[in-house]
Amino acid sequence: MISTGKLSDLFVEVADTLVADFDVVDFLHNLTRHAAAVSGAGAVGLLLTDQRGNLEFMAASNATGELLELWQLQSEEGPCLDCFRTREPVINADLTNAESRWPVFAPKAVAAGYQSVHAFPMRLRDEVIGALNLFGSSDTLFEPEDVRVVQALADVATIAILQERSLARAELLTEQLQGALNSRVVIEQAKGAVATIAGVSVDEAFELLRKQARSTHQRLVDVAHSVLSGSNAEYKIGV
Amino acid sequence: MCRAAVDGLGLSGAVVSLMVASESGSVGSEAIAASWGVGAEAVEELQFSLGEGPSRDAFILSRPVLEPDLEKSIGRWPGYAPAALGAGIGSVFAFPLLVGAMRLGVLSLYDAVARTLSEGELADSLALNEFATRYVLDHPLGGEGGEGGDASVLDELEFRDEIYQAQGMVMVALNVSLAEALARMRAHAFVTEQNLTALAADIIYGRAWLLAATEDE
């Protein structure tokens, strides 16, 4: 099930990223894309806690992944929410047979073309700070060793958010988590600004922002901030 | 609200400071909008004069800055920490009032002793943080901003990606700040009796344009 070739690519990128001053939003976005490639899942999404008992959307491998997460948040049911509440993974759940468990969400996910789902908790000590969600076809089933690998990916996401090895202060989690959630919003605002500046769609604007971040070795969120503070005149984004 | 924070969380003080970013992204100007608790305002003002401290850091970093024990932060704030300790403060929890890159100020909670926030207290603080952000959005200083103070519009401030994206678009198209862009969107939604998310989608897909700046000037 797990593609070992793709897995080694992933670990090289993770190692490269985690040692540098990296962008957590961009990193989690890439992580969901890698998780999809490695596991064969068609869509992967990631939700984070707002520390007030709710989950918020953070990253997805594609637009469908985002939609599947938003549907769960909207209907207040689904594998990610179960995983967050119970602190246990949801593995190999059959969406075509889950109407009693998720009456609103399951039919929508099936209609979107998915039959199986898995959700892995992002654990930190005795807390769960979010969940990683993978959607696939009827044959995207995980063996125990696959489960360990995907759980490791969820753990990498947790480490990325903390960005520091020292977990001595509980306050650090709040600072990093709230900062990450807000960074995502900054990037959405910048997508709109760049779309208007360059006359492109918001999706194209996102690619332009990422390209800009890569070519100038800046964090995505820093590029987004400079676009929004109007100090990006020299960037000529979009051409 | 500051009083509710102090009473509800068993703290010694709470202050809401409004801040404006400078060109470099640091704090350009700042003013205290509300406070409760003996000496809270004076401690907050220390940061204005010293140019360092948790509120300023929360604003600059766009994330909470939580210091459960000021004794341990003398290295971080060599001027501020000893002065705040001298003024009888043991812990500080600073939460920025912001939505993405739209930064409005900071809610700072103070206690006389070194202490942490429990899980429940943290959730309450984050709820107060959001409330203060919405309140400041609805009551901008200097009369700038929209008319969308109506409760139904306020409920609609369930921020979604479309709203953030449209906010960025309006900012560029009308050459205004993000806060002003949101105020214009809310005013437009209010006047046209449409919800903000629907308006945002119309803006993104080019079906709606907010009137140029002359409209409100």
Side-chain angles (χ1 to χ4, degrees):
Chain A
M1 189 75 267
I2 295 286
S3 154
T4 40
K6 285 172 178 157
L7 194 59
S8 40
D9 290 348
L10 184 154
F11 276 114
V12 170
E13 182 173 328
V14 164
D16 275 354
T17 309
L18 287 180
V19 292
D21 181 20
F22 68 101
D23 188 275
V24 70
V25 181
D26 202 26
F27 180 78
L28 294 176
H29 181 77
N30 282 335
L31 188 86
T32 55
R33 295 216 282 210
H34 279 299
V38 162
S39 67
V44 176
L46 193 150
L47 298 178
L48 287 184
T49 174
D50 67 356
Q51 298 192 298
R52 291 166 57 188
N54 303 308
L55 287 166
E56 287 195 32
F57 172 74
M58 188 64 199
S61 61
N62 54 21
T64 320
E66 178 165 359
L67 215 51
L68 287 162
E69 298 308 321
L70 294 176
W71 283 341
Q72 294 183 62
L73 294 177
Q74 233 164 36
S75 59
E76 296 177 358
E77 63 176 42
C80 240
L81 278 70
D82 284 2
C83 175
F84 180 67
R85 276 193 289 256
T86 63
R87 302 162 180 239
E88 293 298 326
V90 173
I91 295 157
N92 296 333
D94 179 2
L95 284 166
T96 59
N97 213 352
E99 254 185 76
S100 54
R101 188 172 181 185
W102 305 308
V104 181
F105 175 72
K108 277 185 153 176
V110 171
Y114 296 97
Q115 291 91 42
S116 68
V117 66
H118 320 268
F120 292 84
M122 293 169 62
R123 293 196 188 109
L124 177 68
R125 292 177 300 242
D126 50 354
E127 262 181 281
V128 174
I129 67 166
L132 182 70
N133 217 184
L134 301 91
F135 294 86
S137 59
S138 51
D139 52 0
T140 319
L141 297 180
F142 287 173
E143 299 294 329
E145 56 266 38
D146 302 330
V147 169
R148 280 174 45 218
V149 171
V150 182
Q151 181 63 56
L153 287 182
D155 295 340
V156 165
T158 307
I159 293 165
I161 287 159
L162 287 160
Q163 292 188 19
E164 282 185 45
R165 304 297 143 104
S166 149
L167 304 181
R169 293 175 62 219
E171 287 76 17
L172 186 70
L173 173 65
T174 300
E175 295 179 355
Q176 297 296 113
L177 206 48
Q178 300 294 332
L181 288 169
N182 191 64
S183 289
R184 203 189 67 78
V185 173
V186 173
I187 290 165
E188 294 300 323
Q189 291 167 336
K191 276 159 74 173
V194 170
T196 301
I197 293 169
V200 297
S201 74
V202 286
D203 290 341
E204 289 165 323
F206 184 49
E207 288 311 315
L208 290 174
L209 283 164
R210 296 186 72 191
K211 219 193 271 173
Q212 180 73 31
R214 297 254 153 92
S215 64
T216 57
H217 304 289
Q218 291 185 85
R219 298 187 310 156
L220 185 59
V221 67
D222 294 334
V223 174
H225 266 297
S226 60
V227 166
L228 293 166
S229 67
S231 58
N232 68 318
E234 71 273 25
Y235 288 162
K236 299 273 179 239
I237 280 189
V239 274
Chain B
M1 192 209 80
C2 285
R3 183 179 181 175
V6 170
D7 293 348
L9 296 166
L11 298 162
S12 68
V15 179
V16 173
S17 290
L18 300 183
M19 298 182 186
V20 177
S22 69
E23 289 271 313
S24 63
S26 180
V27 181
S29 62
E30 54 206 335
I32 289 176
S35 70
W36 186 259
V38 178
E41 204 163 322
V43 175
E44 185 78 5
E45 276 171 351
L46 273 177
Q47 301 188 52
F48 299 1
S49 49
L50 294 167
E52 64 171 36
S55 307
R56 294 179 68 91
D57 284 2
F59 185 81
I60 292 164
L61 298 169
S62 294
R63 61 164 172 77
V65 170
L66 311 179
E67 186 44 76
D69 185 356
L70 267 177
E71 295 271 5
K72 291 183 180 152
S73 64
I74 293 172
R76 183 172 185 180
W77 302 302
Y80 168 80
L85 284 163
I89 299 296
S91 51
V92 188
F93 308 96
F95 298 88
L97 313 183
L98 47 69
V99 179
M102 175 175 75
R103 296 181 291 169
L104 308 165
V106 176
L107 165 68
S108 299
L109 306 176
Y110 295 99
D111 205 10
V113 294
R115 61 171 282 186
T116 56
L117 295 176
S118 70
E119 207 176 304
E121 288 167 340
L122 175 64
D124 289 346
S125 304
L126 290 167
L128 278 167
N129 186 15
E130 186 185 347
F131 178 82
T133 304
R134 289 182 180 214
Y135 188 86
V136 172
L137 270 176
D138 282 335
H139 302 83
L141 282 183
E144 199 193 317
E147 299 289 310
D150 174 85
S152 63
V153 180
L154 192 66
D155 288 341
E156 246 250 283
L157 273 183
E158 268 299 305
F159 284 105
R160 302 181 51 147
D161 288 357
E162 291 89 341
I163 296 175
Y164 304 137
Q165 292 165 3
Q167 194 186 1
M169 290 178 160
V170 171
M171 179 193 93
V172 171
L174 301 187
N175 193 24
V176 295
S177 69
L178 276 174
E180 178 66 13
L182 180 65
R184 301 260 180 135
M185 286 165 59
R186 293 176 67 189
H188 188 89
F190 182 69
V191 169
T192 57
E193 293 182 355
Q194 137 178 239
N195 80 39
L196 196 58
T197 309
L199 171 66
D202 283 350
I203 291 171
I204 292 167
Y205 295 108
R207 294 189 296 259
W209 281 105
L210 297 198
L211 297 176
T214 48
E215 182 199 27
D216 311 63
E217 281 168 3

